[in-house]
Amino acid sequence: MTATDARQRLRKLGNKKKAQNLQRFFKTGPGEYGEGDVFLGVQVPQSRKVAKEFQDLAITEVKKLLRSPVHEERLLALLILVRRYSKGDTVARQRIYKLYLQHTKFINNWDLVDLSAHHIVGAFLKERSRRPLDSLATSSLLWDRRIAIIATFHFIKYDDFATSLRMAAKLIDDKEDLIHKAVGWMLREIGKRDMRVEEDFLKRHYHRMPRTMLRYAIERFPERKRQRYLKGKV
């Protein structure tokens, strides 16, 4: 079983029309965040099935997929790593975590980050120092910064909000819309579990938050309260 076998499996599932739609959806045009990315037109549920089929692929072969110019091949590599991480021992998990952080330039679209960062980076750091996230949050690479905030989703699930709020504060002045959305999303997830914590953060920061970040954060608020935040009247 090799990376070539996995590639062939994905190509059989590909769909040209879906590939064209995905290339538009994931902004692959000149100057866009996904510029030059190549799609086969394979849906995520299909990729998950292939990941299960190839879950025992050698790490050297997984790396080949992760470094591929084809989006679904990189996604497949990440789905395999997520599966391997969840079943691995301490040594295997540390190896996967290190491999992940060594390859963030290939984890270069929001779906790739969102389907993997909290399962690997967040899970690994749950009982360890969270300082690696600070380095990611100050990186010049957009995807590192998105990993920094999305990784904290793992902590949020355990009602551990402090790191998410710290990352949100670090990223509040970020210029990228994809970071605004990610931070707003994590704040909203905190609010689902403890509205008081989210609102305490918002009351201190919402006046300077990018509009998209704020809108994502308050999406589930009652309409009257939502409008008060949007109008700066809280």
Side-chain angles (χ1 to χ4, degrees), residues 12-226:
K12 288 180 181 179
L13 296 170
N15 180 291
K16 288 185 178 181
K17 186 174 181 180
K18 287 178 182 176
Q20 292 172 350
N21 291 336
L22 288 170
Q23 288 190 202
R24 286 192 294 271
F25 182 72
F26 284 103
K27 308 295 184 185
T28 62
E32 295 182 310
Y33 62 75
E35 181 176 358
D37 208 353
V38 178
F39 284 80
L40 299 174
V42 181
Q43 296 178 319
V44 172
Q46 293 174 306
S47 293
R48 290 191 186 280
K49 290 180 180 179
V50 179
K52 184 176 181 180
E53 181 182 343
F54 286 87
Q55 63 185 326
D56 296 322
L57 193 65
I59 286 292
T60 53
E61 297 298 299
V62 177
K63 286 181 183 178
K64 292 176 184 178
L65 294 173
L66 189 53
R67 295 167 180 169
S68 170
V70 178
H71 188 97
E72 287 93 341
E73 291 181 13
R74 301 197 304 282
L75 174 61
L76 177 61
L78 293 167
L79 292 175
I80 291 171
L81 291 175
V82 167
R83 290 184 67 89
R84 295 271 279 275
Y85 186 94
S86 69
K87 298 178 180 181
D89 60 17
T90 301
V91 173
R93 289 179 174 185
Q94 184 172 39
R95 185 182 183 189
I96 290 169
Y97 166 77
K98 288 182 176 179
L99 184 153
Y100 189 96
L101 291 188
Q102 290 167 354
H103 288 78
T104 56
K105 70 178 181 179
F106 299 101
I107 306 170
N108 57 350
N109 217 311
W110 58 264
D111 63 319
L112 302 180
V113 173
D114 296 359
L115 288 169
S116 62
H118 58 106
H119 292 299
I120 295 175
V121 179
F124 186 79
L125 296 178
K126 182 176 182 292
E127 304 298 335
R128 297 175 173 86
S129 169
R130 313 279 172 84
R131 288 301 170 187
L133 298 180
D134 292 277
S135 297
L136 290 168
T138 56
S139 170
S140 61
L141 185 63
L142 162 63
W143 309 113
D144 281 350
R145 303 198 303 278
R146 186 158 177 122
I147 288 168
I149 186 64
I150 297 299
T152 71
F153 193 16
H154 186 84
F155 314 145
I156 291 171
K157 292 176 181 178
Y158 291 89
D159 293 335
D160 178 356
F161 308 134
T163 307
S164 302
L165 296 173
R166 184 159 58 82
M167 291 301 107
K170 278 182 173 290
L171 295 167
I172 203 165
D173 295 318
D174 200 282
K175 304 302 181 185
E176 295 288 347
D177 186 64
L178 286 175
I179 300 301
H180 303 168
K181 291 176 179 178
V183 172
W185 172 23
M186 291 303 102
L187 291 173
R188 185 173 73 235
E189 291 296 332
I190 291 172
K192 287 180 184 178
R193 295 158 176 83
D194 193 327
M195 182 64 73
R196 180 191 59 79
V197 173
E198 182 188 6
E199 285 213 72
D200 181 61
F201 182 89
L202 288 176
K203 286 173 182 177
R204 286 183 285 119
H205 298 289
Y206 86 98
H207 281 293
R208 57 184 281 229
M209 290 172 70
R211 202 68 166 174
T212 297
M213 187 184 294
L214 178 60
R215 285 186 179 278
Y216 268 61
I218 64 175
E219 187 176 88
R220 292 177 176 267
F221 282 20
E223 183 61 19
R224 182 175 293 180
K225 181 186 288 188
R226 199 175 71 85

